[in-house]
């Protein structure tokens, strides 16, 4: 199985400051159709995960442009340019290329 | 707007079968693939399986043949059965759309395995 490793696991951030989460996969994530199915989710307490970014760098509708995704090969990054209070929660990366699809351990973002 | 809603018993006895249904609105169940994911307490998210109306089904090998998925096109629903459950199967179960990208999720249902 593909192992997704996130860092850091805990991310205290001051409001208005940038934040970055790394996600590394144990195998390359290029699917046979040429796409890389690497997604990012935010899970707020008591809610289901909400997708923010799909296929590495595509922002979902309604997601603020302060969120961006990048990466290639086995290394991927989620960046928040200026953290706001509503960004608090647990962030997960997830690969949808190799079955079984797998998730990172989660990164808990909190406000300092 | 696509919406998914899980339903089923919140409590299942050990060795019995967990049965859940996901009702989809705002999309046709024959249009895309559908998935089940679970979130184990204190642990992460785990893919259970996905299904397409043509009969394509994939299960996570870690569930060792205990899982069965099906769908009902007349009700726009798909279902999950997990047999021989143990306490280790206690989790929040989510249904979701488009397994490779998980574009939409249901709110989740907590299923506790206990006698």
């Amino acid at each position: 199985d593909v192992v997704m490793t996130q860092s850091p696991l805990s991310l205290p951030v001051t409001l208005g400051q940038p934040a970055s989460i790394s996600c590394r996969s144990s195998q390359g994530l290029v699917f046979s159709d040429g796409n890389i199915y690497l997604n990012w989710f935010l899970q707020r307490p008591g809610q289901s995960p909400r997708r923010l970014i799909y296929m590495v760098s595509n922002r979902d509708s309604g997601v603020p442009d302060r969120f961006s995704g990048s990466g290639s090969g086995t290394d991927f990054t989620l960046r928040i340019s200026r953290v706001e209070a509503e960004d608090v929660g647990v962030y997960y990366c997830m690969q949808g290329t190799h079955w079984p699809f797998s998730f990172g351990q989660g990164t808990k973002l909190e406000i300092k | 707007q696509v919406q998914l809603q899980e339903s089923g018993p919140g409590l299942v006895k050990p060795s019995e079968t967990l049965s859940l249904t996901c009702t989809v609105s705002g999309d046709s169940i024959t249009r895309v693939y559908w998935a089940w994911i679970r979130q184990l307490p204190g642990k992460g998210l785990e893919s259970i399986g996905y299904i397409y109306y043509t009969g394509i089904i994939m299960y996570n090998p870690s569930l060792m043949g205990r899982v069965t998925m099906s769908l009902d096109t007349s009700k726009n629903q798909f279902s999950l059965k997990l047999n021989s459950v143990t306490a280790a199967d206690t989790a929040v179960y989510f249904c979701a759309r488009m397994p490779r990208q998980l574009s939409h999720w249901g709110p989740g249902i907590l299923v506790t395995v206990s006698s």
Side-chain angles (χ1 to χ4, degrees):
Chain A
D1 295 3
V2 176
V3 176
M4 305 298 287
T5 303
Q6 287 182 230
S7 63
L9 300 185
S10 178
L11 184 56
V13 184
T14 301
L15 286 173
Q17 293 300 301
S20 177
I21 301 171
S22 171
C23 177
R24 178 165 292 177
S25 59
S26 61
Q27 298 178 32
L29 298 182
V30 180
F31 189 55
S32 55
D33 61 7
N35 291 319
I36 298 175
Y37 292 99
L38 186 286
N39 311 303
W40 289 96
F41 299 88
L42 166 60
Q43 185 175 31
R44 297 190 175 103
Q47 297 184 14
S48 55
R50 173 199 177 192
R51 195 179 70 181
L52 304 174
I53 302 284
Y54 62 97
M55 289 195 292
V56 182
S57 59
N58 296 277
R59 209 167 32 248
D60 268 279
S61 173
V63 174
D65 61 7
R66 62 178 182 275
F67 289 90
S68 64
S70 64
S72 62
T74 59
D75 290 308
F76 303 91
T77 302
L78 176 72
R79 290 186 176 87
I80 309 172
S81 59
R82 294 173 307 279
V83 170
E84 298 189 6
E86 66 179 16
D87 301 337
V88 165
V90 181
Y91 290 81
Y92 294 95
C93 61
M94 171 249 171
Q95 67 83 18
T97 296
H98 304 285
W99 182 251
F101 306 144
S102 48
F103 296 81
Q105 319 97 299
T107 295
K108 187 172 184 178
L109 186 148
E110 59 181 22
I111 305 299
K112 276 186 193 174
Chain B
Q1 179 170 336
V2 180
Q3 291 187 314
L4 297 87
Q5 180 67 55
E6 304 88 353
S7 59
L11 181 63
V12 181
K13 290 183 169 56
S15 80
E16 296 191 345
T17 297
L18 179 159
S19 295
L20 297 174
T21 297
C22 182
T23 300
V24 178
S25 58
D27 197 0
S28 169
I29 203 162
T30 61
R31 221 169 60 79
V32 295
Y33 290 71
W34 305 90
W36 288 98
I37 301 101
R38 67 182 182 178
Q39 188 162 32
L40 305 163
K43 295 187 179 180
L45 293 152
E46 179 182 44
S47 298
I48 298 172
Y50 65 82
I51 187 168
Y52 191 52
Y53 80 103
T54 57
I56 295 172
I57 304 177
M58 289 291 285
Y59 300 133
N60 192 324
S62 70
L63 294 168
M64 293 181 294
R66 296 192 294 130
V67 62
T68 304
M69 293 175 63
S70 61
L71 53 77
D72 186 335
T73 56
S74 67
K75 295 180 179 178
N76 222 41
Q77 294 176 335
F78 61 105
S79 299
L80 169 71
K81 290 188 188 299
L82 182 65
N83 58 35
S84 303
V85 296
T86 70
D89 294 309
T90 293
V92 177
Y93 287 76
F94 297 100
C95 58
R97 179 180 180 271
M98 291 176 63
R100 291 195 191 282
Q101 301 181 64
L102 295 174
S103 62
H104 297 79
W105 298 58
I109 182 169
L110 173 61
V111 179
T112 302
V113 178
S114 175
S115 55

